[in-house]
Amino acid sequence: MIEDTAEPSTDQGPGPKPAPAAAGRRGVGVVIVNYATARLVIDALPPLLAELDRLEAAEPHRVVVVDNASPGPDVTVLSDAIATHGWGPRVRLVASPINGGFSAGNNLGFRALREDGMHPEAVLLHNPDAAVRPGALAEMLRVMRTTPSAGFVGPRQASPDGSSWSGAFPFPSLASEVAQALGINALAERYPTVIEGLEAPTRVDWVSGTATLIRGEALEALGDMDEGYFLYHEEVDYARRAAALGWESWHAPAAVFEHDAGSATGVSDG
């Protein structure tokens, strides 16, 4: 069920009721999963670190870059860049011995944050081919803090050609899958696969994993992502599991991430 609202909901309802800033949770953790996209990661880090600097200065923020056993020299390239730019105290590189997929890479990032003693207010999943625009992360945090039931918050996405899209979706159903497969316009309009036209923070079923802010309490309740999903659909599964626990997904249209779709995977929607 998709629910449009003009303002973020403050109705705590029957689900979880965490305080907007939960006691004992501080800062934002970021997980970037890399596979043969070292240059994209290096390009994404400066705007990300600048955005983290715009948040509460006293809070501990940490970025974990997980290399999923890239076939080339990515680990060396990333390690050299972290040293050259002086990112070391803030950016940790984790080299996985195997490519277990997107879910497994994120799970390694979650583990690294815990090992570093992070007890974050929220964790941002950040694709290598995405770049945060100024103020986007602060807006996502604002929506999360003013919506106690929000477990996930996703931004609007902008492409290099100037177009943009919501990155907000209804859960797939048999009807929507059939409509998409057959290309029947009437069915596609009745069962859309993307929710557009959102101008205010809105509850949706799930948001794209390109850039997703996950509340710390929700992440702790959910545990690891399902590593049975190698690439794609893992964020749908995670959102369904979250919804079963009472956590909601919200789209924050005033927050924008640039996303060169397909540059990290070689697969695009077009």
Side-chain angles (χ1 to χ4, degrees), residues 101-165:
F102 183 70
S103 291
N106 279 313
N107 291 341
L108 286 174
F110 300 154
R111 185 181 309 163
L113 290 172
R114 292 193 297 268
E115 290 172 354
D116 290 347
M118 283 285 291
H119 194 57
E121 178 183 357
V123 173
L124 175 70
L125 305 187
H126 188 307
N127 271 13
D129 55 3
V132 61
R133 286 188 179 174
L137 186 51
E139 171 64 7
M140 293 163 75
L141 277 169
R142 184 194 71 80
V143 172
M144 181 169 284
R145 288 167 176 169
T146 56
T147 313
S149 54
F152 299 161
V153 178
R156 188 158 187 82
Q157 299 179 35
S159 64
D161 65 9
S163 61
S164 67
W165 65 100

Side-chain angles (χ1 to χ4, degrees), residues 220-244:
E220 186 173 292
L222 282 164
D224 285 350
M225 301 180 77
D226 186 343
E227 297 184 10
Y229 295 95
F230 187 83
L231 184 64
Y232 303 122
H233 306 300
E234 60 285 311
E235 64 263 65
V236 184
D237 172 75
Y238 216 41
R240 281 194 186 277
R241 287 168 51 195

